[in-house]
């Protein structure tokens, strides 16, 4: 089923990029290059992604690239996988979002009192007990330290390189699962804490912020461990 006209008009810049990425993959380009995506999204949405004053002649590559990279980029949000140097592919979550935008499947309905698995319940309690969450919620992001990040991720500086990456990937996947399960509903953790979709989004944003802010620390830790 095709896109509704009002859906296209309401799409955000990241959503339009995902729609173009989907069409590239449907045409057999997977993974696709950043350059191919820039051209594809400009061809579909020249008014949004055209160079100012030359919208019909040239794409504004910076507008696309800025949506791919950074803390709020499509890769960090779990919608695109970076497959190599300037190579990307849609994730399962990215394809699901595209299908909803294309009206191929309905958006999930609001749900109440979602039941989370015990391991996710315990993990969420650990997150909310961390100093990183308290500082982030109190608007004290500038006070966050790498020690706060380590406690949030439950890692130490003695972790092996492979274990470090595996732990970060596990945290990322667990938060994405919680975000999907809770959606626009809510849940109550076993310690009595009420958790909503906004809370799940906050944890995802915090994780991305910590990864971005302390990327050099993580790289140094990996490199140091690799030499040992």
């Amino acid at each position: 089923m095709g896109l509704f006209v009002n859906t296209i008009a309401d799409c955000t810049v990241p959503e339009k990029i995902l729609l173009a990425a989907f069409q590239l993959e449907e045409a057999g380009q997977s993974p696709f290059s950043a350059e191919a995506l820039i051209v594809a999204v400009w061809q579909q949405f020249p008014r949004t992604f055209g160079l100012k004053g030359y919208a019909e002649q040239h794409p504004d590559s910076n507008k696309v690239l800025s949506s791919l990279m950074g803390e709020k980029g499509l890769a960090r949000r779990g919608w695109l996988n970076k497959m190599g140097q300037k190579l990307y592919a849609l994730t399962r979550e990215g394809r699901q979002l595209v299908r909803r935008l294309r009206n191929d499947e309905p958006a999930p309905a609001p749900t109440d009192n979602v039941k989370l698995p015990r391991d996710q319940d315990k993990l969420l309690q650990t997150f909310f007990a961390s100093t990183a969450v308290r500082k982030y919620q109190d608007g004290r992001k500038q006070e966050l330290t790498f020690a706060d990040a380590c406690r949030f991720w439950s890692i130490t500086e003695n972790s092996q390189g492979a274990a470090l990456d595996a732990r970060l990937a596990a945290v990322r996947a667990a938060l994405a699962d919680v975000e999907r399960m809770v959606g626009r509903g809510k849940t109550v953790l076993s310690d009595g804490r009420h958790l909503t979709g906004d809370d799940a989004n906050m944890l995802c944003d915090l994780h991305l912020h910590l990864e971005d802010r302390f990327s050099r620390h993580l790289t140094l830790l990996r490199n140091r461990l690799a030499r040992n």
Side-chain angles (χ1 to χ4, degrees):
M1 187 178 297
L3 284 163
F4 287 128
V5 174
N6 63 331
T7 302
I8 295 178
D10 292 339
C11 279
T12 64
V13 165
E15 288 169 346
K16 289 178 179 178
I17 294 174
L18 287 179
L19 289 167
F22 179 82
Q23 292 204 357
L24 285 174
E25 292 201 343
E26 289 294 289
Q29 295 189 52
S30 184
F32 48 84
S33 67
E35 291 79 7
L37 182 58
I38 290 168
V39 173
V41 73
W42 166 64
Q43 289 175 337
Q44 290 185 51
F45 308 104
R47 293 183 62 183
T48 304
F49 296 97
L51 195 62
K52 187 175 181 180
Y54 303 91
E56 299 296 330
Q57 290 79 36
H58 302 287
D60 184 348
S61 59
N62 287 335
K63 191 163 190 177
V64 180
L65 293 174
S66 64
S67 294
L68 296 180
M69 302 178 294
E71 184 176 329
K72 295 292 186 179
L74 296 178
R76 285 297 187 92
R77 294 165 77 170
W79 293 341
L80 287 181
N81 270 331
K82 189 169 184 181
M83 309 298 289
Q85 185 68 23
K86 291 189 177 181
L87 288 176
Y88 298 89
L90 281 168
T91 63
R92 182 181 63 178
E93 291 78 11
R95 295 184 72 86
Q96 287 175 343
L97 176 56
V98 168
R99 285 195 290 269
R100 290 200 295 272
L101 292 172
R102 289 167 55 90
N103 200 37
D104 291 339
E105 68 177 39
T111 54
D112 291 325
N113 301 321
V114 177
K115 180 66 174 178
L116 295 177
R118 182 178 300 177
D119 58 337
Q120 289 184 337
D121 184 300
K122 184 177 180 181
L123 181 63
L124 287 168
Q125 291 185 49
T126 301
F127 286 146
F128 280 108
S130 69
T131 53
V133 167
R134 289 200 293 272
K135 290 180 180 180
Y136 194 76
Q137 288 183 316
D138 291 344
R140 296 183 289 136
K141 289 196 296 185
Q142 72 280 2
E143 297 179 18
L144 286 166
T145 65
F146 186 55
D148 293 324
C150 287
R151 286 190 288 270
F152 179 80
W153 292 320
S154 297
I155 64 172
T156 71
E157 294 190 3
N158 295 322
S159 302
Q160 295 297 315
L164 172 64
D165 288 331
R167 178 58 185 168
L168 293 177
V171 169
R172 191 180 307 118
L175 288 174
D177 285 343
V178 170
E179 194 173 28
R180 283 194 300 272
M181 291 180 69
V182 177
R184 290 179 290 164
K186 60 186 178 181
T187 189
V188 180
L189 303 182
S190 58
D191 64 354
R193 173 184 288 273
H194 290 257
L195 183 134
T196 66
D198 288 341
D199 295 321
N201 292 337
M202 179 275 295
L203 290 174
C204 290
D205 289 344
L206 172 56
H207 169 69
L208 295 176
H209 175 77
L210 293 174
E211 275 198 320
D212 186 64
R213 178 165 177 173
F214 298 111
S215 59
R216 290 182 61 189
H217 295 71
L218 293 171
T219 299
L220 288 171
L221 183 57
R222 292 185 185 101
N223 291 341
R224 188 186 70 186
L225 291 169
R227 291 194 297 268
N228 290 341

